[in-house]
Amino acid sequence: MALDSVMARDGGDLSLWTPMADVPGGTSYHFAAAAGRHGHTPVVVGAIGADVAGRAITEALTDGAIGHRLAVDERRPTGRAIIGYGTTGARIMFASRGAANEGLSGTAVREAVEALPGFDAVWVSGLSLTRKGTPTYASVREIAAGAAAGGVRLLFDVVPHEFHRHFSDVPSIAAEVGPIHGLVSELPSARRLLGLGDAGETLTERLLDETAELLLEQVTATVLRYRSGSAYRQSVRTRDGLVKDLERPIPERLGLRGYGDTMTCEVLSELVGAVPEGEPISGKVESL
């Protein structure tokens, strides 16, 4: 569904009309879609409301052949967000509160995990750990603990960009979810998490090297991304010395939806470390 909306300047006058698209999204959706395109078998675990948005998400996952275990909450609406981009490309997001996924119970998580035949990695979005007062927080910890007990590797996505305001370092995250195998982040977010630099610093390959070296003291593998001119750069680094760099052109603003997740899925087998080089990619990635 396409809507018209207005953007106002600080002075309050209406300055620009711009199209607004109402489409399925979110970290889990974009990551799972990208993982599927790159040969993996993703499964999304979460909760939706008994509403139009929930049905749209379910249909999108089904149409995209993306596995899903979605609990339906009759009391809460499906989570929604309005995302806009400033003239500099900076993203602004307004997310709903009291959404169905915030009420995801440990029981629903256990039932979903028990119904799956097995998987190589669990992907956890940092956003799910930013609301400690919701049932989701406990559910995320439960699924992470179950993964650790089963020897499944945990991949952690450092989002939102201000994630360091919720957790001060990597050990504090691991204290909540258990051992982190792979950490994925925009370079500025990772540097804030490590207490490095400042918000206005110019991002360079040297800073990427510095950040990756420090992260690999705490995790087995890391993927870092940053913008450089008209390019989006990404590098996967592992403790055993693997280095794989990608560079892609930055798409126009609407093309940025899930763009970082797509790049990460290009190196997902290297990040997970579950598939020897040269062999077909298989297995499951569970995304919460």
Side-chain angles (χ1 to χ4, degrees), residues 23-201:
V23 295
T27 298
S28 294
Y29 176 82
H30 291 308
F31 179 83
R37 291 195 298 271
H38 286 87
H40 298 273
T41 306
V43 178
V44 176
V45 177
I48 56 173
D51 50 27
V52 172
R55 291 192 291 274
I57 284 286
T58 304
E59 290 174 5
L61 292 170
T62 301
D63 292 344
I66 299 171
H68 50 278
R69 301 284 301 186
L70 302 178
V72 178
D73 192 326
E74 299 284 347
R75 300 169 301 168
R76 295 180 173 92
T78 301
R80 308 189 80 168
I82 297 176
I83 300 175
Y85 294 90
T87 55
T88 63
R91 185 173 66 171
I92 304 171
M93 182 173 73
F94 300 93
S96 60
R97 294 275 184 171
N101 216 42
E102 293 182 14
L104 183 63
S105 69
T107 299
V109 169
R110 283 194 300 274
E111 290 175 351
V113 173
E114 289 169 359
L116 299 174
F119 45 90
D120 296 321
V122 170
W123 174 279
V124 173
S125 166
L127 185 62
S128 60
L129 292 183
T130 60
R131 300 171 182 174
K132 295 186 177 181
T134 66
T136 297
Y137 189 83
S139 297
V140 170
R141 296 180 66 192
E142 182 172 347
I143 198 171
V152 178
R153 294 173 176 178
L154 180 68
L155 308 179
F156 191 84
D157 186 12
V158 181
V159 289
H161 298 306
E162 298 296 309
F163 187 76
H164 64 280
R165 299 186 183 278
H166 301 275
F167 289 86
S168 59
D169 52 27
V170 177
S172 65
I173 304 171
E176 296 297 305
V177 299
I180 298 173
H181 172 82
L183 186 141
V184 179
S185 179
E186 294 290 323
L187 180 55
S189 300
R191 290 182 64 76
R192 299 296 85 74
L193 188 62
L194 293 171
L196 300 174
D198 57 61
E201 65 183 349

